[in-house]
Amino acid sequence: MVEWVTLHTGPRPVPRPVATPLVWAGAFAGAPLLVALVNTLSGPHGHGPALAALSLLAAVLGGCARFAAAPGTALLCWLFLNGFGIPPAGTLSWAGPRDTVWLGCLLGAALVGTTVSRLAHARAAYHRLTATAGWDDPGHGRLR
């Protein structure tokens, strides 16, 4: 026997974040493309634009991820920035203060993207819940 069920029963929950390995795969695929694009446009000495582009990528990827994915996303972006964004290409190095700032910037961007996304989703879910509660209870939505 076929039972018909309504697809939208009640308020929609907050969307679930994307799995962490998928976010890291996006960073692994997107970071080299961005570094190559920035190196093509501004030359191999364009550290600032490359860091800005990778920070934007980390923030966008953080928008659909869990908080636990932020350190790995920042590390992957930093590896491509350090390995291919600064000369000599293909050589990883550690320059204490510079790389610490870069890692902090990338981690901060990923965390800001995740925080903004979680807050936006929670706010939207709250508004959906209060809007449905207002229609069920006639006295709920009145101004006093």
Side-chain angles (χ1 to χ4, degrees):
M1 177 184 331
V2 176
E3 181 179 336
W4 294 97
V5 181
T6 323
L7 292 178
H8 295 286
T9 58
R12 294 177 292 168
V14 176
R16 294 180 55 188
V18 176
T20 300
L22 289 177
V23 174
W24 289 346
F28 191 78
L33 292 175
L34 279 176
V35 169
L37 179 68
V38 170
N39 282 347
T40 302
L41 295 176
S42 67
H45 297 287
H47 306 132
L51 180 62
L54 288 174
S55 295
L56 183 63
L57 174 69
V60 168
L61 288 172
C64 60
R66 293 178 168 86
F67 282 104
T73 303
L75 184 65
L76 282 169
C77 290
W78 173 81
L79 284 172
F80 283 104
L81 175 62
N82 192 352
F84 301 104
I86 58 173
T91 304
L92 286 176
S93 63
W94 180 262
R98 178 196 70 189
D99 287 328
T100 304
V101 169
W102 286 359
L103 272 171
C105 183
L106 292 167
L107 180 62
L111 288 174
V112 164
T114 306
T115 302
V116 167
S117 173
R118 295 293 109 206
L119 288 174
H121 287 312
R123 185 170 189 254
Y126 173 76
H127 284 292
R128 284 191 299 266
L129 284 173
T130 56
T132 58
W135 289 107
D136 292 355
D137 182 16
H140 179 71
R142 279 193 244 164
L143 294 174
R144 294 171 195 184

